[in-house]
Amino acid sequence: MAVVSELYRYPVKGFTPEPRTELRVQDDGRIAGDRVLAFRFADATEPEDAGGLESWPKSKGLSLMDFPSIARARGLRRADRSAATE
């Protein structure tokens, strides 16, 4: 019998996963909040066909696999953004 030991979702395709205590499977079979954002290269204008489904492979955009230094990037927290605009 298979056992689930950890759950993760990837809010940004190809970036660091988020550990989760639970996941919600949507009616279409996808995980809510998983891969809802991706950074693709400007020349990647059309998705590829993957067995009748549209697909945007990691090779067509930014991913930790090819650009590991982006893991060091940090966004501004809400409090920091407020202070920066005062």
Side-chain angles (χ1 to χ4, degrees):
M1 174 193 252
V3 175
V4 175
S5 60
E6 296 180 44
L7 296 172
Y8 294 92
R9 73 174 180 189
Y10 292 78
V12 181
K13 182 179 174 98
F15 281 51
T16 306
E18 280 182 330
R20 306 293 293 183
T21 57
E22 61 183 40
L23 296 172
R24 185 172 60 84
V25 179
Q26 301 174 148
D27 291 340
D28 62 4
R30 295 181 301 153
I31 301 297
D34 190 57
R35 295 170 177 88
V36 295
L37 182 65
F39 295 97
R40 60 184 165 88
F41 298 130
D43 62 351
T45 58
E46 297 290 327
E48 294 183 3
D49 182 9
L53 300 173
E54 290 184 351
S55 172
W56 293 95
K58 288 183 195 175
S59 61
K60 300 286 185 174
L62 290 179
S63 71
L64 293 176
M65 176 177 69
D66 295 321
F67 300 92
S69 62
I70 59 178
R72 293 191 306 267
R74 297 285 181 257
L76 288 174
R77 296 176 310 178
R78 185 171 291 140
D80 295 335
R81 285 193 301 263
S82 297
T85 59
E86 291 177 356

